[in-house]
Amino acid sequence: MIIDIAFDNPDSPHAGVEVLTFDELKTRLKSEVARRPSRLDFHQIILVRDGEGTAMVDFVDYECTRGTLLHLRPGQVQRLPYGAAGQPADLDAVLLLFTAGFPPPLPAAGPVLDGFGPVAWSLPPDTFGAFDRAVEELVAVYRSWHGAPAARVAGLDLTGALLRQLLGALLLRMAGLSDPDGDGDVHATTADVYLAFRRELERSFATTRSVETYAARLGYAPRTLTRACQAAAGRTAKQLLDARVSLEAQRLLAHTDQPVSAIAHALGFTEATNFGKFFARQTGLAPGDFRHAQR
């Protein structure tokens, strides 16, 4: 079963951010929790400085080595980086945990904070160095925030404000990274079509799997929608639609005890057999076999 984890900073219950090392996180978590998949209601950024491991995000494995940058959004299912024997990995890594409301309002960082951006990057040495320095400054400010009385002017917490702005600067750096799964030179109009589709897909994937319906709702021709998706994500609108339905099915199968027939109905399938065929095409496993493998 997947464990739901809500944001909870044990040092500052009312803070919307926490900065800690991977080793510190391992000492906090019980072993059975560290080994099991979890679903977060907050953002989690991990910068790996050294070591090796494998992280799982939404049932996809990502190798973690020096220069790996991971970003999990609220609602995504993860398994913390682990080693070959299944134990938590031996990593030198920094984690930034923060609620959706903590970063400053930065429209340019919107694509990073929404639910559609990349999960992982492998940073080249120069880029890694810049990110490492930015994260190290966040670590230092965060520790000063909790290790000494906050600097205040006219009642304002200046250290907390600085931490918020430093996080915003890091998010802007992330917004400047190319998408490892897409085309970094996508025209702005094409990107707008793609993002509009992804947002509508989040609202409606359980009720319609018709590309024509999505195109009509957004005011585009189906061909325009498909071209935008191919340019931005390397997959057609239909492939993205099917992948989103499959992901939700995987989450429900792994996270709940709902019967397969109930899951099929919740995702808009009139017959459980049709759902089973769809799921097998997407994952290579029958729904029951996938659920058994996750338990």
Side-chain angles (χ1 to χ4, degrees), residues 223-280:
R223 178 180 293 184
T224 300
L225 187 57
T226 289
R227 285 176 175 172
C229 291
Q230 287 177 321
R235 291 187 287 177
T236 67
K238 179 61 174 174
Q239 288 172 330
L240 290 169
L241 201 167
D242 287 346
R244 183 62 184 90
V245 174
S246 175
L247 172 58
E248 194 66 20
Q250 292 176 67
R251 288 174 172 175
L252 292 171
L253 287 165
H255 181 57
T256 76
D257 293 319
Q258 293 182 44
V260 172
S261 59
I263 292 174
H265 179 73
L267 294 176
F269 291 86
T270 56
E271 298 289 341
T273 53
N274 292 336
F275 168 68
K277 293 176 182 177
F278 166 85
F279 190 84

Side-chain angles (χ1 to χ4, degrees), residues 27-217:
T27 62
R28 178 190 304 176
L29 296 178
K30 297 180 180 179
S31 59
E32 61 270 22
V33 175
R35 291 172 179 266
R36 290 170 59 185
S38 57
R39 176 157 49 192
L40 313 179
D41 73 350
F42 52 91
H43 291 267
Q44 175 178 279
I45 294 173
I46 304 177
L47 180 66
V48 180
R49 292 166 155 173
D50 202 1
E52 295 183 356
T54 303
M56 183 277 287
V57 182
D58 278 338
F59 310 102
V60 177
D61 288 338
Y62 297 91
E63 295 303 315
C64 298
T65 58
R66 177 178 173 83
T68 298
L69 179 68
L70 298 173
H71 180 201
L72 282 76
R73 281 83 168 173
Q76 290 187 299
V77 173
Q78 71 151 344
R79 185 182 178 196
L80 287 168
Y82 55 91
Q87 79 285 359
D90 183 13
L91 292 180
D92 176 5
V94 176
L95 287 81
L96 311 175
L97 317 179
F98 57 94
T99 61
F102 184 79
L106 295 169
V112 176
L113 294 172
D114 67 24
F116 318 128
V119 169
W121 296 264
S122 181
L123 303 178
D126 289 348
T127 305
F128 168 72
F131 271 81
D132 192 32
R133 290 188 293 272
V135 166
E136 187 58 37
E137 187 169 12
L138 274 160
V139 171
V141 173
Y142 181 80
R143 288 177 177 168
S144 72
W145 200 31
H146 292 283
R152 291 182 177 274
V153 173
L156 298 177
D157 178 359
L158 296 185
T159 308
L162 175 59
L163 189 63
R164 181 175 281 106
Q165 296 302 318
L166 289 173
L167 177 59
L170 184 73
L171 294 173
L172 290 175
R173 286 184 181 274
M174 292 173 65
L177 295 173
S178 62
D179 184 342
D181 299 317
D183 183 348
D185 296 322
V186 175
H187 190 275
T189 302
T190 299
D192 290 343
V193 174
Y194 169 72
L195 288 175
F197 170 65
R198 292 303 299 262
R199 294 187 180 102
E200 183 60 32
L201 180 58
E202 285 300 305
R203 287 191 288 267
S204 306
F205 68 85
T207 58
T208 180
R209 293 193 305 282
S210 165
V211 173
E212 290 74 16
T213 299
Y214 283 97
R217 289 180 182 178

